[in-house]
């Protein structure tokens, strides 16, 4: 049977954002067409050294999804006011600027990793806020 899944969505486990992420993907007509990988911090969780044990699990799952579901694209959705970004920030003040740096760093790291491990895979980088505004990177 041919699978219809064409994307994997990497998003955070934060309960406040589940509906926002779902609605965003629905607007993009992706309902029922993506596999989901939900983990604290999204790209922060799978790239930052504070969550080292999670990285391999993500890339293994991504590789499996490429094989099983023929996904062509990874859609990353980080979010503002993220607890995992807070942890990654450490003892520094968790200002909007410092948080933005953490997200941008996670985006550039995941982009590099994807290019190295899955060169054919497309990647889309998004940061969503509580008012469901999306910023693309
Ligand atoms: Zn989060």
């Amino acid at each position: 049977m041919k699978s219809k899944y064409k994307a994997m969505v990497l998003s955070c486990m934060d309960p406040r954002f589940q509906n926002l992420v779902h609605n965003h993907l629905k607007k993009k007509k992706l309902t029922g067409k993506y596999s989901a990988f939900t983990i604290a911090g999204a790209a922060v969780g799978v790239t930052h050294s504070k969550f080292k044990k999670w990285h391999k699990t993500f890339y293994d799952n991504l590789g499996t999804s490429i094989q099983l579901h023929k996904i062509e694209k990874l859609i990353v959705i980080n979010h503002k006011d993220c607890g995992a970004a807070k942890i990654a920030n450490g003892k520094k003040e968790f200002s909007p600027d410092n948080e933005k740096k953490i997200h941008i760093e996670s985006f550039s790291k995941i982009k590099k990793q994807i290019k190295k491990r899955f060169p054919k895979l497309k990647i889309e980088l998004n940061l969503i806020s509580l008012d469901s505004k999306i910023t693309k990177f």
Side-chain angles (χ1 to χ4, degrees):
M1 200 175 85
K2 250 194 171 178
S3 172
K4 60 181 176 177
Y5 294 85
K6 291 293 179 203
M8 181 188 254
V9 175
L10 170 64
S11 62
C12 183
M13 65 177 189
D14 190 316
R16 297 170 298 164
F17 286 88
Q18 302 311 313
N19 254 337
L20 301 185
V21 167
H22 175 81
N23 289 340
H24 171 69
L25 295 164
K26 197 175 161 189
K27 250 191 254 161
K28 295 184 67 151
K29 306 218 184 305
L30 281 168
T31 304
K33 290 185 181 159
Y34 63 88
S35 53
F37 193 91
T38 304
I39 191 165
V44 176
V46 303
T47 59
H48 198 278
S49 58
K50 288 240 162 104
F51 310 104
K52 224 167 195 161
K53 284 185 183 164
W54 301 351
H55 302 182
K56 186 181 182 299
T57 305
F58 168 67
Y59 289 109
D60 286 353
N61 272 261
L62 182 57
T64 304
S65 192
I66 290 170
Q67 268 184 4
L68 293 179
H69 311 129
K70 312 278 177 251
I71 66 159
E72 293 151 1
K73 193 182 203 177
L74 174 67
I75 300 172
V76 180
I77 308 179
N78 282 22
H79 71 90
K80 285 188 182 168
D81 193 37
C82 183
K86 246 174 236 177
I87 292 169
N89 190 57
K91 286 177 181 158
K92 278 176 283 166
E93 184 207 351
F94 193 61
S95 64
D97 265 4
N98 283 342
E99 184 180 12
K100 200 175 171 192
K101 268 181 216 157
I102 288 164
H103 289 297
I104 288 173
E105 201 183 288
S106 79
F107 289 154
S108 87
K109 274 188 187 167
I110 198 169
K111 227 171 143 177
K112 240 186 238 165
Q113 285 294 325
I114 294 299
K115 216 176 167 187
K116 201 170 90 183
R117 293 168 191 244
F118 309 104
K120 283 185 198 155
L121 191 69
K122 291 180 204 126
I123 183 165
E124 192 187 297
L125 303 162
N126 304 281
L127 182 62
I128 193 169
S129 56
L130 263 175
D131 60 5
S132 76
K133 219 186 112 197
I134 296 242
T135 314
K136 287 195 181 263
F137 285 83

